[in-house]
Amino acid sequence: MGVLKVGTAGYKYEDWVGRVYPANLRERDFLPYLSQFVDCVEINASFYSLLSPYTYKSMVRKTRDDFEFIVKAHKAFSHEPDKVSEVLQPFKESLQPLIDAGKLGCVLVQFPQRFHNTPENREHLQKVVDWLGDFPLVVEFRHISWVRESVFEFLKQLGVGFVCVDEPKLPGLMPPVVVATSPIGYVRFHGRNAEKWHHHEHAWERYDYLYSEDELREWLPKLKQLVQQTEKTYAIFNNHWQGKGFVNAQMLRHLFSESTE
């Protein structure tokens, strides 16, 4: 029987000021403030650039002992494999402060929707494990072709966790399949803003969605299933616009705790 850790995808959002963060709170105090209310956070900046070990060391210092970080793997591993040789060692070394502090939950590898279930892409997935297998890994697929029992078995063989998702029910997108393929369970809540998912002017519009209590209750039995099958399960809210993910994280923590009493 594992544990459930609930958190948000990212924490440095200007639109959270006055909604999540007090209006006069300095940016350097965002993380310690947030860590009072959630169990973990996804670091998304690591997808776009290589963060310094000192950056992670500062994050460690600003959070309580049992707080954890999920680090999104640099885009080279999932989108630009020709650049892996440049970023592999610096990326791995940057995570050492989190490892030393026992605060690295896992590394999240997020593939694009164009990354379909093909023999070539399964070979690439094996390469990712070869590159990053020193860390606990979870992978998020964006295309429905990966929803196969054979894929789940493949992930189990690799020792890689499958990221379950909640997102709009649109053609080609991943359905809310719940499966554990490693000791780590993972769910990313992207919101259900179907209207803006593919057609938006700004990226944040896709994640402008507040889950209702009833929608979160749908996930309680699924989360309990994951918790029973894993050592640790993360529930991460990516519906970040104007702090909606923060609100939903609080709701889910309360609902899950209430349901297990």
Side-chain angles (χ1 to χ4, degrees):
M1 182 74 172
V3 296
L4 177 69
K5 293 214 164 200
V6 182
T8 59
Y11 67 93
K12 281 189 179 181
Y13 298 111
E14 291 183 6
D15 53 281
W16 283 24
V17 177
R19 294 181 174 87
V20 175
Y21 303 128
N24 60 348
L25 192 70
R26 296 170 298 184
E27 184 178 296
R28 68 185 185 188
D29 294 324
F30 284 1
L31 181 58
Y33 183 88
L34 179 70
S35 68
Q36 299 175 75
F37 303 98
V38 297
D39 308 308
C40 53
V41 70
E42 272 184 7
I43 303 302
N44 293 321
S46 54
F47 177 81
Y48 301 100
S49 60
L50 292 168
L51 303 187
S52 162
Y54 297 103
T55 299
Y56 289 119
K57 189 174 290 187
S58 174
M59 293 178 182
V60 166
R61 190 176 63 251
K62 291 180 178 182
T63 50
R64 64 180 193 270
D65 290 347
D66 63 345
F67 193 83
E68 293 186 9
F69 296 90
I70 298 98
V71 177
K72 188 177 289 187
H74 191 277
K75 59 185 177 181
F77 301 108
S78 53
H79 293 62
E80 303 168 351
D82 57 312
K83 297 181 180 179
V84 168
S85 60
E86 301 172 26
V87 306
L88 178 57
Q89 201 57 34
F91 178 79
K92 294 172 74 171
E93 292 174 357
S94 72
L95 302 184
Q96 197 59 48
L98 298 181
I99 297 169
D100 292 343
K103 291 190 173 187
L104 177 64
C106 59
V107 171
L108 165 66
V109 185
Q110 179 184 295
F111 290 103
Q113 192 172 4
R114 66 176 183 272
F115 189 79
H116 293 190
N117 178 15
T118 65
E120 294 77 18
N121 285 340
R122 288 194 294 275
E123 286 181 17
H124 179 74
L125 190 55
Q126 176 67 68
K127 290 180 182 178
V128 171
V129 175
D130 293 340
W131 294 324
L132 299 175
D134 293 342
F135 308 115
L137 290 179
V138 297
V139 295
E140 179 181 7
F141 300 114
R142 292 282 175 101
H143 191 266
I144 196 171
S145 60
W146 292 98
V147 182
R148 301 283 189 278
E149 191 60 40
S150 59
V151 171
F152 303 147
E153 288 302 317
F154 182 50
L155 293 178
K156 288 177 182 178
Q157 293 169 18
L158 295 176
V160 173
F162 174 81
V163 175
C164 314
V165 297
D166 185 288
E167 59 189 12
K169 295 180 179 178
L170 294 172
L173 294 189
M174 297 288 284
V177 172
V178 176
V179 62
T181 59
S182 84
I184 297 176
Y186 211 103
V187 182
R188 297 189 90 213
F189 291 88
H190 294 297
R192 302 179 181 179
N193 194 342
E195 180 183 353
K196 295 291 186 178
W197 193 260
H198 293 304
H199 307 287
H200 51 260
E201 185 177 350
H202 305 286
W204 58 260
E205 294 178 72
R206 172 183 282 187
Y207 305 109
D208 183 10
Y209 188 87
L210 182 70
Y211 286 93
S212 69
E213 185 173 305
D214 286 343
E215 287 172 331
L216 293 182
R217 285 188 184 278
E218 295 171 11
W219 273 92
L220 294 181
K222 301 174 183 178
L223 288 169
K224 288 177 183 177
Q225 174 187 330
L226 284 175
V227 168
Q228 289 170 357
Q229 296 175 349
T230 61
E231 296 173 5
K232 197 174 292 182
T233 291
Y234 298 95
I236 304 296
F237 285 89
N238 192 32
N239 53 327
H240 55 76
W241 178 243
Q242 296 186 338
K244 292 181 174 68
F246 175 81
V247 172
N248 282 149
Q250 305 311 299
M251 290 172 63
L252 182 63
R253 287 181 91 200
H254 174 73
L255 290 171
F256 190 82
S257 175
E258 186 180 64
S259 71
T260 55
E261 290 178 351

